[in-house]
Amino acid sequence: PLTVYPLNVLLALLMIVGATSFLFHYRLSRGWIRQAMTPEVLAFPAIILLGGLSLMALEPLDISTAIFHAVSASTTTGYGWLDLSGFKDPAKLVLVPFMFVGGASFSTASGIKLLRLLLILKAIPWAARRATSGVTEPLTLGRREVSGPEVAFQLLVVIVAASVILAAAFLFALAGYPFVDSLFEVTSAYSNVGLSVGLAAGLPLGMKWLLSLVMVLGRVETIPVFVVLFGRWGPKGAEPSENLQA
């Protein structure tokens, strides 16, 4: 069966490969080991390990099962054999941020991407230093220098994504579904994960449409959708800005 060694390890590795940047695979194939080891690549194993250990602390799981389902959530693959509806609420909440962040940029994974998380985490102390000491040192992530406007844009992407998820989860809760289950289901839909606590089965038509909309917004990302809508229904003759970043 696929739930035992070595097939479970092979599946986990395949999920990780799919959620790792194509640039990493390209650089690795060319022997550019140092250039391939970006902050995203180095952080990904730590994120997965953190998820697995957190699940083990909250549910009676062995380490291989916990790590496997942490990989499934973080890579937005959605493969698993556990009945997640039987998880306690804290364990469900542990999986939510891993699904929300997802895998690496320029990979098959969905979510807001690990690169944005790392950028925001590094930008917080950078912005604090600028505000308190007036130091204008550039913000760097790996070998790349990141401008202030780009940091603001990436933060906006994350805030809008979280707002969409929270708004949809509250609508589910207003319809009578438990909020933690609603948050889990909506986050899984936004990041196109596929893991479920059982709400998706038997939803009324209106909630199915809402979940479908969340999946579309998560797949193409919310900001590009707003840009398309603005271009289509904005002021007549208005041209889209050349400074917009996708």
Side-chain angles (χ1 to χ4, degrees):
L2 299 180
T3 59
V4 298
Y5 180 84
L7 292 180
N8 57 352
V9 175
L10 176 61
L11 283 174
L13 289 175
L14 288 174
M15 289 190 283
I16 293 171
V17 167
T20 308
S21 172
F22 292 118
L23 282 175
F24 168 76
H25 301 304
Y26 173 73
R27 289 166 178 165
L28 207 60
S29 70
R30 300 296 297 266
W32 302 339
I33 307 298
R34 186 178 177 185
Q35 293 89 333
M37 295 295 114
T38 63
E40 265 190 317
V41 172
L42 297 175
F44 206 14
I47 293 288
I48 291 170
L49 182 61
L50 176 62
L53 294 178
S54 300
L55 283 179
M56 284 182 63
L58 297 169
E59 293 289 336
L61 303 175
D62 60 84
I63 188 167
S64 63
T65 300
I67 293 291
F68 186 95
H69 285 80
V71 169
S72 179
S74 296
T75 59
T76 69
T77 312
Y79 185 82
W81 57 83
L82 295 178
D83 180 10
L84 301 182
S85 64
F87 274 24
K88 296 184 286 289
D89 283 353
K92 295 174 185 176
L93 289 174
V94 159
L95 288 174
V96 167
F98 293 97
M99 294 190 295
F100 178 66
V101 172
S105 57
F106 197 42
S107 72
T108 63
S110 190
I112 63 165
K113 304 297 188 299
L114 185 55
L115 184 62
R116 285 196 179 106
L117 174 66
L118 297 177
L119 177 61
I120 291 170
L121 290 177
K122 191 163 186 182
I124 292 173
W126 171 78
R129 286 195 303 271
R130 287 192 63 177
T132 56
S133 64
V135 177
T136 57
E137 64 184 32
L139 173 65
T140 59
L141 187 62
R143 299 169 179 270
R144 181 185 172 199
E145 186 173 312
V146 186
S147 66
E150 184 172 357
V151 173
F153 177 82
Q154 301 303 339
L155 179 60
L156 177 63
V157 171
V158 175
I159 291 174
V160 171
S163 300
V164 168
I165 289 172
L166 287 174
F170 275 116
L171 290 176
F172 267 80
L174 289 174
Y177 299 99
F179 180 73
V180 172
D181 288 353
S182 302
L183 183 63
F184 186 100
E185 210 79 4
V186 170
T187 305
S188 179
Y190 187 89
S191 295
N192 304 145
V193 180
L195 293 177
S196 175
V197 291
L199 291 194
L203 284 176
L205 182 61
M207 304 311 288
K208 289 180 180 177
W209 277 110
L210 175 60
L211 212 55
S212 298
L213 175 62
V214 169
M215 285 189 278
V216 172
L217 289 175
R219 182 70 269 181
V220 301
E221 293 199 340
T222 314
I223 297 296
V225 172
F226 288 167
V227 171
V228 170
L229 293 178
F230 178 80
R232 173 62 181 84
W233 285 292
K236 186 175 181 181
E239 293 292 335
S241 170
E242 294 181 357
N243 295 323
L244 289 173
Q245 303 178 56

